[in-house]
Amino acid sequence: MGILKCILIACSCLVWATHAFCVEVKDTIEYRAQVWVDKIDLERYGGEASFKKNLQQMFHNTTRFWNESPNKFNYYFRFVPADELCVYDIQGDKDRYGEFQRKAFGRLDLSKYDFVLFLALGAKNEGLSCGGGGASGQSVVMCYVREAHNIFTDALYPDQGTYSNLGHEYGHVRGATDLYQYMIAAEDNPVSHEKLTPPKCNMGTGYRVWSDYCSALFNYTAKMRPLDKDLSDKVFPRKLVIKVGKMGKPLSNCTVNFYGTRAGGKYNKRDVYPKAYRTYTTSKRGIIEITDLYKLYHPDMTDANIPPKEPQDLFPYSYWFSFLVEIIDEVGQKKYVCLPDVELQREHLETGNDTYTVNVTF
């Protein structure tokens, strides 16, 4: 009996170990950066050999940050600097960083590199950003810091520092948007007067955690080098269906108002714009159907009911990040549903469904 028990325990351990092994092993997807650095900045950081060594460690920490943040990745994502640095020379003139930054958006050898990291390590002002539209379709991550700020020593893992801030920017490289743009305070929502809160995520709403949206997107774009030009359309389902009912029966003639949420800018906060962008009426079956969802969230400047751009820009990015949908039945009762574009995208990328359905019950 004792021997049998030992055999059973051993078999159980083998099954568990095999299962754990299968869960942990993932294909590695590697993204290679062409790194630009100024000649004088390079010398101040100890020269090329020292800089390359520290650069490797920083990229290693960014890779850890990406993969050790809770996620639903299908792959292990690795970020590496290319062996050869692209050394430019501003000749001590800090105003010339921008000149070489523009050159970093030029042609890129995609057989060697996947994106560009442009470092300005003695800049007048600090800031990290990511721009698309490189001549070869590449993204360019821009890292501006002052001389006193050492990008290699400003944080020990897992504390937040340049390596993790770059991890956020690399999220943009792989197609993600800033989720903090979806945070709306209750006082900035004149329609339903409720706070709108996106999930915690390294894209601006949390630290060391990936939202399900980012996991689904990064899995989808994993092997795109560079990202597909029509990615922003392909991530949407083809149709949005809103079904309205009461006690199991469809409600026809309900008014359905779409109020857009906009990014914060110089002249406005992140808010729900108080003028309905579109208005629909439910059919006899109690539904509305909307196609071309890319166009819904990316309005033309000639569309009615969008915030004006002149004389002041009240529509930063010219984009609706979410819609607060107001459903009003025939007696005036109201229901509200929030439809961030990233939620539609997440569901589509996770399931492959081309129709996003919302059920509203009075």
Side-chain angles (χ1 to χ4, degrees), residues 239-256:
K239 183 188 295 185
L240 169 65
V241 176
I242 298 179
K243 298 180 179 180
V244 184
K246 184 176 183 179
M247 299 181 68
K249 295 182 180 181
L251 280 182
S252 62
N253 295 318
C254 291
T255 299
V256 182

Side-chain angles (χ1 to χ4, degrees), residues 331-352:
V331 298
Q333 294 184 93
K334 297 179 180 180
K335 294 280 187 177
Y336 293 96
V337 176
C338 189
L339 293 179
D341 65 332
V342 293
E343 176 58 21
L344 273 66
Q345 294 169 20
R346 178 205 60 76
E347 201 270 350
H348 172 62
L349 295 175
E350 284 184 349
T351 68

Side-chain angles (χ1 to χ4, degrees), residues 70-90:
N71 63 72
K72 294 182 179 178
F73 295 165
N74 294 335
Y75 305 93
Y76 184 86
F77 295 105
R78 176 179 293 148
F79 297 90
V80 297
D83 291 335
E84 184 178 356
L85 293 173
C86 185
V87 180
Y88 61 96
D89 189 2
I90 64 170

Side-chain angles (χ1 to χ4, degrees), residues 109-133:
D109 186 348
L110 297 179
S111 68
K112 294 182 179 179
Y113 316 105
D114 298 301
F115 68 102
V116 173
L117 172 60
F118 181 85
L119 298 173
L121 303 179
K124 294 179 178 179
N125 298 299
E126 296 193 328
L128 274 74
S129 60
C130 177

